[in-house]
Amino acid sequence: QMDLVESGGGSVQAGGSLRLSCVHSGFTSSNNCMGWFRQAPGKEREGVAALGAGNTVYADSVKGRFTVSRDNAKNTMYLQMNNLSPEDTAVYYCAAHTFCTASWRFSPFNMGEYNTWGQGTQVTVSV
């Protein structure tokens, strides 16, 4: 059974930084696809960043500000978020699939590409 646990959320002022962590168990991260999603109040969940199969993908809204990475030895995926703005305020979710599907590279922000989700961590950015 796979399990994902996020941490690192909090409250920061605009222009600040946070690093989110996603510790996973039940699978070997080097062979699967993982992603970060977020959901703001009243909005649909959206993909932020994803990695797998040698690829790293970012949403246009976070390119140049966010960096996704993972440490396979620690079973952890990270999301470094810099130059945060109030528009980044949301609950951030970690997602994973046991393996990278053939369609993942074409739609890495399709929630259907993932079969395991974390509980989410709140990020609040104030002006």
Side-chain angles (χ1 to χ4, degrees), residues 44-126:
E44 293 185 351
R45 192 170 299 190
E46 62 177 0
V48 175
L51 48 73
N55 298 300
T56 303
V57 185
Y58 296 95
D60 288 344
S61 59
V62 305
K63 282 181 181 178
R65 300 188 300 121
F66 290 13
T67 303
V68 62
S69 62
R70 64 183 170 191
D71 185 334
N72 292 332
K74 295 183 178 180
N75 289 339
T76 303
M77 180 176 65
Y78 302 99
L79 185 67
Q80 177 66 44
M81 306 185 295
N82 298 327
N83 193 22
L84 285 161
S85 71
E87 289 70 33
D88 297 314
T89 295
V91 177
Y92 284 70
Y93 297 90
C94 171
H97 199 289
T98 316
F99 56 89
C100 289
T101 66
S103 58
W104 179 87
R105 66 179 60 221
F106 301 108
S107 55
F109 295 147
N110 178 354
M111 290 190 289
E113 294 289 342
Y114 303 91
N115 60 5
T116 301
W117 293 80
Q119 82 289 349
T121 185
Q122 176 71 47
V123 171
T124 302
V125 185
S126 59

